[in-house]
Structures are given as C-alpha cells and as structure tokens.
Amino acid sequence: MKLVLHSNCLLVKGYSRSIICDLGRNNIKLIPNSLYEILNNHKGQTIEEIKTFYNHQHDEVIDEYMDFLSENEFIFFSNHPNSFPELNTKWSYNTKITNSIIDFSPVIATRVFQILNELGSLNCEFVQFRFYEKVSIITLRKILKFVKDYKLPIKSVEFILKNNPIYEQNDLPTLIKNFSRLMRVIVYNSDQDKIIRSEVNDNAFLVYTSENYFSEKCCGVIHQKYFTVNISSVTEAMNHNSCLNRKISIDRMGNIKNCPSMFQNYGNIKNTTLKESLSHKDFNKYWNITKDQINICKDCEFRYVCTDCRAYRENPKDIHSKPLKCGYNPYTNKWEEWTTNPLKKEAISYYNMKEIIQNND
Ligand code: SF4
C-alpha cells in the first residue's frame, strides 16, 4: 500500500522546520523538515520504497514519523494513490472588494449611511468599524439597522469598541442577538479578558480584551493568536496579500485608503466615491504581494496562516520588507518581543510609534 497525504493537509516548508496546515480541522502542526521531505518527495510510494531510498539508515525514524502521521489522521494508504487529487490552491472571488475597515469619527458619522450604501453597491461582504472614542449603543444600532433595512449585501459587521462604562450588561449581547450580521464585537481597554459566544449564532462572539487599540498605529501586530487556518484564508494568502487583497478603507479624516494606517490616499469621501477611488492606478498595487515575495517571511513556515502588514515595515523604504510588528525569527524558530529589537529601532522611530509601545507596556 502506498502513502497518501490527505488532500486538505497542506505542507508549508520553512527555513528550519515546516508545518502541516490541516484545512479540514483548521489547525497547524509543526513538523521537522526531514518529514516534509518524505511527504513532499515520496508520496505515492510504499514505506519500504521510502526506507530503501534512505538506504535503511533511518528506518526507526521513518516508522515514528508514520505513527505520528497516522495518529493525527494526516495520511492513509492506498493501492491507487493517483485517485486522490491534490488540493486546488487557486483563490477566486466574484467581487472586486471583499472587505473594508472604517475608522469611525465625527467626519465618518455624518456620511456613514452613504459609505454603507457605496460598500453595498461594491458587494463588499465584510465591514469592520473601529471606534477610538466611546460610542453609544444607539449609534451602533443605527448602523446595524441600516444594513438590515436596506438589505445591503454586507454579510458580516464587526465593531471594535472602546470600553464604555455606560453600557448595560446586556446591551452588547442584545445587539448581537438582534442583528444576525453582527458577527464580532471586540471591547478593548477592558478590565477583563474573556470571550462570550452568542446564544443564537455559533459564529458570533463578544470579546473583552485588556489590550488597547487607541489609534490606527496599534494595528499590524503579528502574533500566533491571530493566525487563521481555513481553506479560504490560506489559499488567499498563497495567491494574494493576506491583509490588503480586495480591501478598501476609510480613515478618521474620510480619506479613502487601502488601510487606514497607510500614508497614501485615493481621495476623500467628501468628494470621491469609493468606486472612483478604485480606478486609481495604484489602488491594487499591494493586492498581489504574497508572503513568498516578502523578505524573511518567504522563509517562514507560518507565511500562509499569519496576516501581513504593509503599513509598518522593518524597512519603511522597501515595499517587500517584513512586517515591523512581527517578533518571529524563522531561522531560529524563536518569538521575541519586537518592540525591544535593536534592529527595529529606526523603523519604530520613523513611524513615530514610541507612544504605542509605552501604552502597551
Ligand atoms: S516572519 Fe513573516 S510570515 Fe513569519 S510570522 Fe512573522 S510576519 Fe508571519
């Protein structure tokens, strides 16, 4: 019987170790590069053929590897390995814009319905609102009611809210319960860290975090807790930029951008429609920068499960430089605090991030 890797198990090789992305169960498993080599180069062969290839010098290790793979249900054996085609890793979507970030402010408040309408006409499905000031439940409800009443194609709304003591205990859970498109509410600056799953929708969450997102400069942190492992996000990351692909954003001043943290804008909502800004020659320029093109990341085993950040880079002058706020070193496999890395000092000062770092200490 011949070795077959389940087609929803994707191998990703890093410089000094690899991972199996289990896209059926949405998790990852670290493996040594020697196991990657066996799985990648010897699939469709019998165990005996594999052992012979290595001159029977590593039989015990190969048996251990096979036990590990079988226990985790990553492999099976068949006499017809060619009957099991590999995963199609193409990514496609039928809308030009899939997601949006709106940084709420008095400027945005006066045009929020216009913005939602424009996002609707672009068939944008995911909209995240970030609030840097306290916001009333009435305002949140008005936004959700508009999306619902006007039957906009927005499937998922996310609110990132500053903790507000005037909220009653049931205010946010009720909002989630009453508006099925509200998928996630994150309350930052909270005195607790906890996640509450909606009673009516398994996919909707209320998250309280003691972290502080008081400015757009807080964005772009790369951490294992933000890794996303599912077939859509992984194949998108293999083919496009995992943060900016098909994203349109509006900053607090109403400037239309790829991401509110970025410098370049493509007009202002006061005098430019979202559709007009999309026709700017530079609007798509980050969409196809994959992690395979980014220095250091291209050697990292996590490159298809972590997000990217093009707004804050280790070398601000290099469009292909590693995200500034990543402390992972794929050559040593160690995570270190990015804020204290001396090699990042210049970029931290370039982006004027000292306040962010002090606030998160
Ligand atoms: S080195 Fe790059 S790919 Fe690896 S975790 Fe950091 S940002 Fe992600």
Side-chain angles (χ1 to χ4, degrees), residues 178-194:
N178 291 346
F179 294 95
S180 59
R181 287 187 246 187
L182 181 59
M183 302 307 282
R184 199 146 34 142
V185 178
I186 298 169
V187 182
Y188 65 89
N189 219 3
S190 170
D191 51 9
Q192 52 186 335
D193 289 285
K194 68 172 178 182

Side-chain angles (χ1 to χ4, degrees), residues 222 227 291 296-297 300 302-303 306-307 322-323 326 328 330 335:
I222 311 292
F227 283 179
K291 284 282 171 83
I296 302 174
C297 296
C300 179
F302 300 127
R303 63 191 177 276
C306 85
T307 186
K322 179 186 166 183
C326 173
Y328 185 63
W335 285 91

Side-chain angles (χ1 to χ4, degrees), residues 170-183:
N170 270 333
D171 280 348
L172 295 173
T174 306
L175 218 52
I176 293 177
K177 197 171 162 188
N178 291 346
F179 294 95
S180 59
R181 287 187 246 187
L182 181 59
M183 302 307 282

Side-chain angles (χ1 to χ4, degrees), residues 12-50:
V12 187
K13 187 174 186 294
Y15 180 84
S16 47
R17 63 181 179 181
S18 300
I19 58 168
I20 296 177
C21 270
D22 183 344
L23 300 173
R25 285 172 288 197
N26 299 350
N27 58 38
I28 57 172
K29 203 80 161 178
L30 292 162
I31 57 168
N33 276 351
S34 51
L35 177 51
Y36 169 90
E37 186 183 302
I38 291 174
L39 287 169
N40 193 53
N41 300 351
H42 300 282
K43 55 192 163 208
Q45 295 180 4
T46 63
I47 300 297
E48 194 46 41
E49 284 169 337
I50 296 170

